[in-house]
Amino acid sequence: MLTCRICGASVREFVDFGRQPLSDAFRKPDDTSEEYFFRLAVGACESCAMVQLVEEVPRDRMFHADYPYHSSGSALMREHFRRTAQEFLETELTGSDPFIVEIGCNDGVMLSAVHEAGVRHLGVEPSAGVGEVARGRGVEVLTEFFEDSTARAVRDEHGPADVIFSANTICHIPYLESIFLGVDALLKPGGVFVFEDPYWGDIVERRSFDQIYDEHFYFFTATSVRAAARSYGFDLVDVRRLGVHGGEVRYSIARPEARTPTAAVAELLAEEEARGLVTRETLDGFAAGVAGIRDDLVALLRDLKAQGRSVVAYGATAKSATVTNYCGIGPDLAAKICDSTPAKQGRLAPGSRIPVVPSEEFAEPYPDHALLFAWNHAEEIIAKEPAFRDNGGRWILYVPEVHVVE
Ligand code: JHZ
Ligand code: SAH
Ligand code: ZN
């Protein structure tokens, strides 16, 4: 029996993507080592409603010195985190000598603005390469995984925090109990723990199955986050839906005696109940929708190939590992993946072994079609590549359904 990582009750598996590689393990072409695979499948807890992977990948296989994702690679995300920092500076960090800790600060996309404001901060970031980039921007970084013991060490050295923030990281951490124990040790009595991650409600609505990969262990809802927070002595005191990364929610967690939940919490809980986000019908419907997208996408790519049309992909996203490996898309169906990240260029995408090339090679020559793996940055990327369309090129998207952008 599968059991819930949060509450120990039984988990019902509802979708299986089969053997999958590590989504951010871009390989050097001369690497002959055996590639790591695991079974990527998702279930939902029948008690606390937490949606979770059924198999866990050891954390240091995913997050290490060579971790290639750099958060500052998108103008949209730079702006999003600049605003986030600004908001904290104006609301939570106004007392005397305030202190903010970020779990998973990556290249300092958020904390660099806090540093520039001269406010005390610390990023806890286990991936040394991206952490070094953050240090280059003046950000204080501790190269460790955040957990209970790290949190206590931070408190001993720096004192308690007014804010603990985390974006696109808490859903990557299976051991949430240790995280909450750490938050309890590090957070001031009236402080707030704020995190934002992909929202299960948006994944269901957009059928964005490619949000499911090794690093994304949990798929949160307000219902499941509140249950988890309460079981660790905290409460969910605010929620805000965000448009980034295909739809996320920012959750604010605090001690029950310190803050009163906003109306937004009750509203989102009620909406989730009405939508039935983890009912059998919804989950099985999601799995069926995903299989349909796979069939349609493979049919389209095979058809284009038969017609002699050229297809390349754009955006060597972590998400794309699920798409290529689940659909069986290799270099025969998408010749290369164009990407602006130096750490991914010149490498082969995990599993599929599709070569990743610099974005400049998109034009050498422009293909007939481009499969947009970074669909969450569609606006930014399509605006950046006007000549592709002017040359008759067409973008292909696959959520919520396979379609060619006319
Ligand atoms: P993007 C990663 O997911 C992994 P990914 C992680 N698990 C997570 O949760 C999110 O980030 C936060 C490139 N690009 O943001 C850069 C261009 O080439 O969708 C990136 O490689 N040109 C931590 O990898 C990729 O696309 C551009 O103009 O799915 C985008 O990756 C832009 C804007 C991006 O995250
Ligand atoms: N906050 C950034 C980075 C997201 S990438 C953004 O939203 O764009 C996820 C980051 O979390 C990676 O840099 C990874 O190294 C880090 N990470 C993974 N597990 C962690 C843990 N237990 N504690 C702290 N950081 C962690
Ligand atoms: Zn549970």
Side-chain angles (χ1 to χ4, degrees):
M1 188 183 87
L2 292 169
T3 53
C4 175
R5 275 301 298 246
I6 305 291
C7 76
S10 79
V11 162
R12 189 179 79 92
E13 183 178 318
F14 60 89
V15 65
D16 182 0
F17 296 95
R19 263 166 48 88
Q20 291 281 336
L22 306 181
S23 61
D24 268 313
F26 292 87
R27 291 165 70 86
K28 293 187 179 137
D30 60 0
D31 185 350
T32 55
S33 68
E34 202 182 317
E35 194 162 6
Y36 179 91
F37 285 90
F38 73 108
R39 188 171 81 92
L40 180 67
V42 192
C45 176
E46 300 190 296
S47 176
C48 76
M50 186 67 84
V51 180
Q52 55 199 283
L53 296 192
V54 304
E55 198 175 302
E56 176 181 343
V57 172
R59 63 186 189 180
D60 35 350
R61 278 194 181 270
M62 298 184 282
F63 309 114
H64 44 66
D66 202 26
Y67 184 67
Y69 182 71
H70 288 242
S71 303
S72 297
S74 141
L76 177 74
M77 294 316 297
R78 289 197 297 274
E79 177 59 17
H80 170 77
F81 287 121
R82 196 193 56 74
R83 278 199 209 151
T84 302
Q86 203 52 44
E87 197 176 324
F88 283 132
L89 290 167
E90 287 166 10
T91 56
E92 302 287 343
L93 301 172
T94 53
S96 93
D97 193 25
F99 180 43
I100 176 170
V101 172
E102 185 177 12
I103 303 173
C105 69
N106 197 273
D107 63 5
V109 66
M110 198 284 286
L111 283 182
S112 54
V114 174
H115 158 71
E116 280 159 26
V119 168
R120 247 175 4 106
H121 62 274
L122 182 69
V124 182
E125 173 51 69
S127 297
V130 291
E132 205 45 49
V133 176
R135 281 195 191 99
R137 292 180 176 157
V139 173
E140 296 289 331
V141 181
L142 176 66
T143 309
E144 297 281 359
F145 285 94
F146 187 92
E147 56 190 23
D148 186 22
S149 59
T150 328
R152 287 169 195 281
V154 171
R155 192 200 153 106
D156 289 348
E157 191 178 338
H158 302 270
D162 297 87
V163 177
I164 300 176
F165 176 69
S166 191
N168 305 298
T169 302
I170 298 303
C171 76
H172 296 53
I173 306 178
Y175 45 94
L176 281 195
E177 180 169 18
S178 178
I179 297 300
F180 274 90
L181 282 170
V183 167
D184 196 24
L186 180 57
L187 197 64
K188 280 187 188 168
V192 65
F193 172 33
V194 180
F195 60 91
E196 57 193 57
D197 285 292
Y199 179 49
W200 180 247
D202 286 310
I203 296 174
V204 167
E205 188 176 328
R206 297 174 194 215
R207 297 200 287 190
S208 43
F209 65 97
D210 56 350
Q211 291 286 9
I212 300 167
Y213 53 90
D214 56 344
E215 295 174 20
H216 286 173
F217 189 85
Y218 291 116
F219 302 90
F220 295 137
T221 59
T223 308
S224 62
V225 166
R226 185 173 71 157
R230 287 187 167 178
S231 74
Y232 304 128
F234 286 87
D235 200 7
L236 176 62
V237 296
D238 196 21
V239 288
R240 188 193 301 177
R241 294 186 72 161
L242 306 171
V244 296
H245 287 307
E248 303 203 312
V249 169
R250 179 177 290 175
Y251 305 93
S252 298
I253 308 285
R255 295 187 175 88
E257 63 279 12
R259 298 189 189 209
T260 311
T262 60
V265 174
E267 279 163 27
L268 192 56
L269 289 168
E271 185 183 316
E272 290 176 358
E273 177 77 30
R275 287 181 63 193
L277 287 182
V278 293
T279 60
R280 235 164 228 263
E281 194 186 356
T282 300
L283 300 178
D284 294 347
F286 174 78
V290 168
I293 292 178
R294 174 192 59 193
D295 295 347
D296 292 349
L297 183 57
V298 172
L300 173 64
L301 295 176
R302 289 211 179 119
D303 192 37
L304 290 170
K305 187 182 164 146
Q307 291 174 36
R309 302 288 195 138
S310 57
V311 179
V312 309
Y314 204 108
T317 55
K319 295 184 287 292
S320 68
T322 300
V323 180
T324 56
N325 292 286
Y326 172 61
C327 300
I329 299 169
D332 55 325
L333 294 180
K336 58 188 180 186
I337 310 177
C338 306
D339 194 286
S340 58
T341 315
K344 296 180 183 176
Q345 296 162 356
R347 304 221 182 182
L348 303 177
S352 69
R353 307 282 167 99
I354 303 174
V356 181
V357 302
S359 320
E360 293 70 33
E361 291 186 27
F362 189 43
E364 300 172 6
Y366 281 117
D368 297 315
H369 287 85
L371 179 56
L372 187 52
F373 283 145
W375 51 265
N376 46 316
H377 302 296
E379 209 178 314
E380 184 174 341
I381 290 174
I382 292 173
K384 202 182 264 184
E385 301 285 2
F388 167 59
R389 279 187 66 90
D390 296 347
N391 276 290
R394 288 292 176 263
W395 294 98
I396 300 171
L397 288 132
Y398 49 85
V399 292
E401 61 206 355
V402 176
H403 60 287
V404 177
V405 184
E406 286 307 332

